[in-house]
Amino acid sequence: MKRNEPGEADTELTFVSPQGTVRRLLVGLGPDRLRLVRPPAVARPVRLDGDRRGLQVRLPAAEAGNRVAHGLLEAETSAALALHRAYGGTRFRGLFPVPLGHDMNAAEPFILYAAPRGRPLSTLTHGVSTSDQRAIERDLVLAVGLMAAAGLVHRGIVPPAVRWDGRRLQLWDLGSVARTGRPRTPWGVAPYAPPEQRAGVGAVDPRDALWSVGQLLHELVTGRPGNPDGPAPDLARHHTLAHTLAPVFAPRAADRPTAAELLGRLMPDAGAALLTTGVPDPLDPYRREFDEALRRKHASLPRPPRPPGEPAPPPPPSYGPDGGPATGFEQPPRRRGPRTWFYGGGAGPSGTSGPEGGRHR
């Protein structure tokens, strides 16, 4: 057995896998890291078999009677499993946390994930390259669109919930997910949450999350929080940002574009079509072989010169079997001072909030 890291303790963990089978593993549990998830849930690193690492998000025994907190963890588990079943067999699987198992009936209910990838955007120093900005922008809009296709809306897209490894993005805090069309409840913090969401009026709309994407990108590019009620006064000065994201700052969701429309701007040749390719396909391995042969052919053809100053568009995301980048290794982004988790929100009258609003199935 691999030796424990400092602070790890061996214990047998029993859980239900995403395939519905009961598994038992002797794992090493690390110390709690409170800033990784919204209170009262806590998270800790887990050493699995071999060199694999995971992250356990759980509700402490002291919160066993907290119906709201328990409902949020159930909602997170339901969202994680729904996304895994929809996209776990596709090239988009790395955009979301990879669930390994869960147990909602344990003394301390939990969900177990594969280890997070990259670092939170809140650790990035001020300023990113145009190519990184475009890649982060594309991956966020793509994640929002894929969630919308699954009937889910992420209400908590804030810098600590978005991780970046220098190549690809991963969207965490699935406890902030709600079902499309459910009545909004007051949730989130300004400027990341849109006005209608903070006020808890109307119905949950996928375009709620696009407001959050715009606010996050504005802060990432400018180093300053945006306007909580509309576009920032300095938006027009940042042309690469304003060109694609200006419409998402409309105060009403009905006046914002959809994720498919935004992807059409970000990737004119293939953007909107990506949202229709996320369904697992038994012929996918053979299609990948064909696509790779086609890519090599296209790479060998001469291309017209790119206009001066125009950045190259980032390629569509491609992930390996573990949810990480398929090829290459990038240095993690530079860090700045630590930031606490942005949290806040509420629950519906039933005492639960999220995708199912009740027991996980």
Side-chain angles (χ1 to χ4, degrees), residues 149-166:
L152 303 173
V153 179
H154 200 304
R155 301 176 296 167
I157 298 179
V158 296
V162 180
R163 303 184 71 90
W164 173 248
D165 66 4

Side-chain angles (χ1 to χ4, degrees), residues 119-124 136 140 159 162-164 216 220 336:
R119 296 177 183 272
L121 287 188
S122 52
T123 66
L124 282 175
I136 292 170
L140 272 175
V162 180
R163 303 184 71 90
W164 173 248
L216 189 150
L220 186 64
R336 66 184 179 190

Side-chain angles (χ1 to χ4, degrees), residues 108-173:
E108 294 189 327
F110 69 88
I111 178 169
L112 181 65
Y113 294 107
R117 229 177 356 91
R119 296 177 183 272
L121 287 188
S122 52
T123 66
L124 282 175
T125 55
H126 167 52
V128 294
S129 68
T130 301
S131 60
D132 280 357
Q133 174 194 329
R134 284 301 191 203
I136 292 170
E137 189 176 37
R138 176 211 63 207
D139 277 10
L140 272 175
V141 175
L142 180 58
V144 168
L146 292 171
M147 293 186 75
L152 303 173
V153 179
H154 200 304
R155 301 176 296 167
I157 298 179
V158 296
V162 180
R163 303 184 71 90
W164 173 248
D165 66 4
R167 287 175 57 87
R168 296 291 181 259
L169 177 144
Q170 196 172 47
L171 182 58
W172 281 74
D173 189 20

Side-chain angles (χ1 to χ4, degrees), residues 7 54 77 86 125 139 169 176 218 221 254 265 281 296 300 315 323 352 356:
T77 302
T125 55
D139 277 10
L169 177 144
S176 293
H218 176 273
V221 170
R265 293 186 179 197
D281 184 348
R296 290 195 299 268
S300 67
T352 60
E356 295 294 341

Side-chain angles (χ1 to χ4, degrees), residues 256-274:
R256 299 173 202 140
T258 65
E261 291 168 340
L262 280 182
L263 282 174
R265 293 186 179 197
L266 290 167
M267 304 177 66
D269 295 333
L274 287 175

